[in-house]
Structure formats: C-alpha cells, structure tokens
Amino acid sequence: MSIEIANESGVDVDTDAVLAVARHALDEMGVNPLAELSVLLVDIEYMSELNHRWMGGDGPTDVLAFPMDEGSVDHGPGESAPAGGEPALLGDIVLCPEVAGKQAATAGHSAADELHLLTVHGVLHLLGYDHAEPEEEREMFGLQARLLASWRSTRSQ
C-alpha cells in the first residue's frame, strides 16, 4: 500500500501516526494492497480555498476527500484486483490541523486524536461512504468508531 503524505500546514504533526491510522483503516476495509493514497495537510487559507472551490463552502473545513478511481477500489475478498494488477488510485485526503485542533478542544480530546479520526473519515469517504442521510451517517460513523478503536488497541499493545 503506497501512502504519500505532505505536511504543508505549518503545524507540527506526527505524520507517522497519520500514515499508520490510514494504513490500518485501508487494511481493515480490505482495500487492494496495490492501492495508492495521498494525504495533504494544509493551512486554514488553503483549506478555505479548496472548500469554496470544490464544496461551495465558506471558510475552512476539517477534512476533504477527493476520490480518484472508485471503480478499481477492492472493497473486499469477493472482488478481484484491477486488470493487470495496476495500483488503484484511491485519491487524496486533505486535512487542516488548525481546524482539527479547534475541534479537538471543543470535543475534549487531543489534536492528534482529532487528526486520526479525520484521517479515517477521509478514507471512508474515498471508499464511497457518506453521511448525508441518517442511516448512512449511522453506518459511516459506527464504522469509523470501530476502525479507530481497533487501531488504538493495536498501538497500546
């Protein structure tokens, strides 16, 4: 599994942990091991620009996910790998550590915990999950909580 990460946010972030939680979520979801993912950490100004350009939103958001090639994502053992064994380009996850830090303070946990949650959230969006409807939200947030809990349990061993 190829995961590229770039921290252009100006905030000190444990990028190894962000990579680890992304890898854990992809592994647990049965994603093709040839899959490629990009994670970009940006500042508030750039996140505001992306949110406006792609989502029509005002101001910064915490996470954006840009799927690339949903047709080649291996969602589990019942599906075959892409033709020719070519890597699946999952897409990009864009995180804003400054927004994550503010949300973490409100939620009563660390900024690192918030970034881990947002990373898993972004991975699930790349895999086609959404939370627009109450049923979708229950499914996605339940899965997100299970993935985070299993990742945390592996780190504490």
Side-chain angles (χ1 to χ4, degrees), residues 1-4 26 31-38 68 86-92 126:
M1 185 116 18
S2 171
I3 303 174
E4 302 270 330
L26 293 168
V31 171
N32 183 328
L34 296 177
E36 295 179 6
L37 170 69
S38 170
M68 292 293 187
E86 292 297 314
L89 298 174
L90 292 179
D92 303 319
L126 292 180

Side-chain angles (χ1 to χ4, degrees), residues 43-57:
D43 62 19
I44 283 181
E45 183 180 330
Y46 191 60
M47 184 58 104
S48 297
E49 182 183 320
L50 289 174
N51 190 32
H52 178 74
R53 184 181 330 149
W54 297 104
M55 306 303 291

Side-chain angles (χ1 to χ4, degrees), residues 88-141:
L89 298 174
L90 292 179
D92 303 319
I93 297 171
V94 184
L95 302 167
C96 186
E98 291 172 88
V99 173
K102 291 175 186 172
Q103 290 176 178
T106 302
H109 55 240
S110 72
D113 284 344
E114 187 72 12
L115 280 173
H116 303 156
L117 180 150
L118 295 172
T119 300
V120 171
H121 190 87
V123 165
L124 291 175
H125 273 308
L126 292 180
L127 296 178
Y129 289 87
D130 201 1
H131 47 85
E133 300 296 325
E135 186 175 310
E136 292 174 334
E137 182 176 332
R138 277 191 300 278
E139 179 184 14
M140 182 176 178
F141 284 49

Side-chain angles (χ1 to χ4, degrees), residues 7-32:
N7 185 357
E8 299 175 3
S9 70
V11 176
D12 188 27
V13 172
D14 182 353
T15 54
D16 289 342
V18 171
L19 284 173
V21 73
R23 187 175 308 280
H24 177 81
L26 293 168
D27 287 346
E28 290 294 307
M29 294 301 294
V31 171
N32 183 328

